[in-house]
Amino acid sequence: MRFGRISKAVGVAAAAALALSACAGNGGGTTPTTAAAGGQQGGSVAVAETNGFSSFNPGTADGNSDVNGHIGYATHSSFIYIDDKLNIVRNEKFGKYEKLSDNPLTVKYTVNEGVKWSDGTQVSAADLLLSWASGSGYYDDAEAKTGTTYFKTAADTSGLNLTDFPELGSDGRSLTLKYSKPFADWELAYSFPGNGGVDIPAHVVAKQAGLKDAQALVDLLKGIKRGDSTSPQPANAELMAVADFWSTGFESKTLPSDPNLYLSNGPYIIKSVVPEQSVTLVRNKDYNWGPTPKLDEIVVRTIGAAPAQVQALKNGEVDIINPQASADTVDQLKALSGVNLLVGNQLSYDHLDLNFSGPLAEQSVREAFLKTVPRKDIVDKIIKKIDPEAKPLDSQIFVPAQAAYADSAAKNGSSLYQDVDIDGAKKLLNGATPEIRIMYNKDNPNRVDAYSLIRESATKAGFKIVDGGLGKADWSSSLGDGSYDATIFGWINSGVGVSGTPQIFKTGGGSNFNVFSDSDADKAMDELIVTTDKAKQDELQTKIDASIWQSAYGVPLFQSPDVKASSDQISGVTAMPNQTGVWWNVWDWSRK
């Protein structure tokens, strides 16, 4: 299950999410009718995205970016989605899930008959099983030096790893999960479209991996025992072929010649891709298992800089923008006529992460580097004009609107890095001049500004800073590859659940890119995912927050402002703070 992405969004750089469960209203509502947004049936709308499209599987560690997730959301369906009030909404046109027991926790999922992939294949229990296999870590037996991790998922696997091998129904469309312990986020086990839901067709992966069909994949998965890290075994070649294709076979900046690599089971189908420029979606004419879309076509244009998005909206080149706002973005938008403007806060934050290797392997060097980070200057330059009350973010887990934020920020050790301390950094370095390569999205002006301010300050303490900036479609796939020492990007959250915390911070977590590891934090995260009491969740996450700061992990910079704008000729665009952004109700978009 994946809860955030590298902003993998809304203009933030990257993909996973911290647990912001205090913002969630887990109402568990049933399928709504399409909102009365007005507008006509048919037509085309163009929407701007900050990052470049790079993968048809947004569930992988490399593919987990905002734009990949948005396109995945529009082209896939699942049992739930999250609405703009952060309620879990059941999509019972797709299928049903029911809790059969609390002790042990047992949940049955059934896909409705007639729900199909765009090649006409029924969405089946095999698809659910593949999603479970990739999101559970069930077969992994990796330990420090030996063993195997099969699927390279961005998700935290702790929750689904509490399950036995699923029971498959005789109808071929149902699957039942039985948990060994309570799971706080059980209702998100199959997540939502584009975010670790039922996104990857089992019959395609099976054939690409050399198996006869989806049933052969089911039989393979049935025949392999749960992995045991205390007794690692040689990798199973057939399962490795399946996992490797799931992990890398859908990566592409172009439209594959094989249409099986971009099948849809949602309201839209990908028609064409112009690398790093645009992706065109068209209505899935067979789709009737969710809210009915109004538009015939959506063109997704890659426009990195906020001023360029504003200009494109002014010129009529795009109809909807959700930029990573720069200082003048709101003023520029207010100056336009015929534009609807929405301003708020996202469930996302920009941050600087340090690797626990190379020149930053020693904690004293990490501490020295963090003492040079001009967080207040970064906020003043990038955020203050949008939000005059903005301050540096002092938690890696919470945002200021959450009740637990103030207490955690007061206790977690963030006070050590409130102000730049060049003398303190020099003292820790003791004459050393470490060379630090910083990776960031060089096509994102806010990231360029943050990098420049950090470089200028760190150089004063003796650090030699190397510019490791990469292009808008390349930087996210480089996360965790060892090619840099520090990185500036952002996480954005779904607003529901707590599994985003181990996703990023647990040892071996799917989105733990800097190899942070803390045994006390790991124990707290193991307890967190089986804790349903909100107060206890906050207590555990406060403890985890302190462990992160005390390790000199890195620093959060600021909570990202949410600036959305659309042409007044477009209906259905509403505010949404989580990683789906304006896309959350794509079916409601229409032309007036």
Side-chain angles (χ1 to χ4, degrees), residues 209-433:
L211 301 175
K212 179 181 178 181
D213 53 23
Q215 185 57 51
L217 174 58
V218 171
D219 293 340
L220 172 67
L221 296 176
K222 280 184 177 179
I224 302 175
K225 294 181 180 180
R226 179 192 287 269
D228 180 0
S229 62
T230 65
S231 181
Q233 301 297 311
N236 181 288
E238 288 185 302
L239 179 57
M240 184 58 75
V242 169
D244 282 350
F245 190 82
W246 184 92
S247 301
T248 64
F250 296 94
E251 292 180 3
S252 180
K253 296 178 184 178
T254 62
L255 193 69
S257 58
D258 183 356
N260 288 315
L261 299 184
Y262 54 95
L263 295 183
S264 164
N265 65 7
Y268 289 93
I269 298 173
I270 297 175
K271 177 184 179 182
S272 64
V273 179
V274 179
E276 300 191 36
Q277 294 185 40
S278 67
V279 179
T280 299
L281 313 177
V282 294
R283 180 202 295 274
N284 182 353
K285 295 180 180 179
D286 295 327
Y287 172 83
N288 62 4
W289 45 87
T292 303
K294 294 186 175 183
L295 295 170
D296 288 334
E297 180 183 76
I298 299 173
V299 180
V300 184
R301 302 192 186 282
T302 304
I303 305 175
Q309 288 199 19
V310 174
Q311 188 65 40
L313 180 63
K314 178 181 179 180
N315 295 343
E317 298 166 9
V318 298
D319 304 292
I320 303 170
I321 66 172
N322 190 182
Q324 189 181 22
S326 57
D328 299 321
T329 303
V330 174
D331 288 343
Q332 292 168 350
L333 287 169
K334 286 181 177 178
L336 301 183
S337 59
V339 168
N340 294 320
L341 175 63
L342 297 168
V343 179
N345 286 310
Q346 291 180 359
L347 297 180
S348 66
Y349 70 103
D350 269 32
H351 53 97
L352 171 75
D353 290 357
L354 308 184
N355 286 357
F356 284 65
S357 59
L360 294 170
E362 294 295 326
Q363 177 153 341
S364 60
V365 181
R366 296 197 303 276
E367 290 176 355
F369 192 79
L370 295 182
K371 284 180 178 292
T372 72
V373 179
R375 295 202 297 149
K376 291 181 179 177
D377 287 348
I378 290 171
V379 170
D380 288 347
K381 182 173 179 60
I382 298 175
I383 302 299
K384 272 290 180 70
K385 194 164 184 179
I386 302 172
D387 179 5
E389 303 301 317
K391 298 178 181 179
L393 187 64
D394 288 331
S395 173
Q396 295 274 15
I397 304 290
F398 303 106
V399 294
Q402 293 178 273
Y405 174 82
D407 182 57
S408 189
K411 296 176 180 177
N412 61 20
S414 58
S415 58
L416 293 174
Y417 307 108
Q418 286 296 320
D419 298 300
V420 172
D421 181 5
I422 300 299
D423 289 339
K426 287 181 176 179
K427 184 176 181 180
L428 286 168
L429 289 177
N430 193 28
T433 58

Side-chain angles (χ1 to χ4, degrees), residues 27 35 78 122 133 140 198 263 266 299 343 403 451 517 529 582 587:
S78 193
Q122 167 74 41
D140 296 346
V198 190
L263 295 183
V299 180
V343 179
Y451 164 76
S517 180
I529 65 162
V582 293
W587 46 82

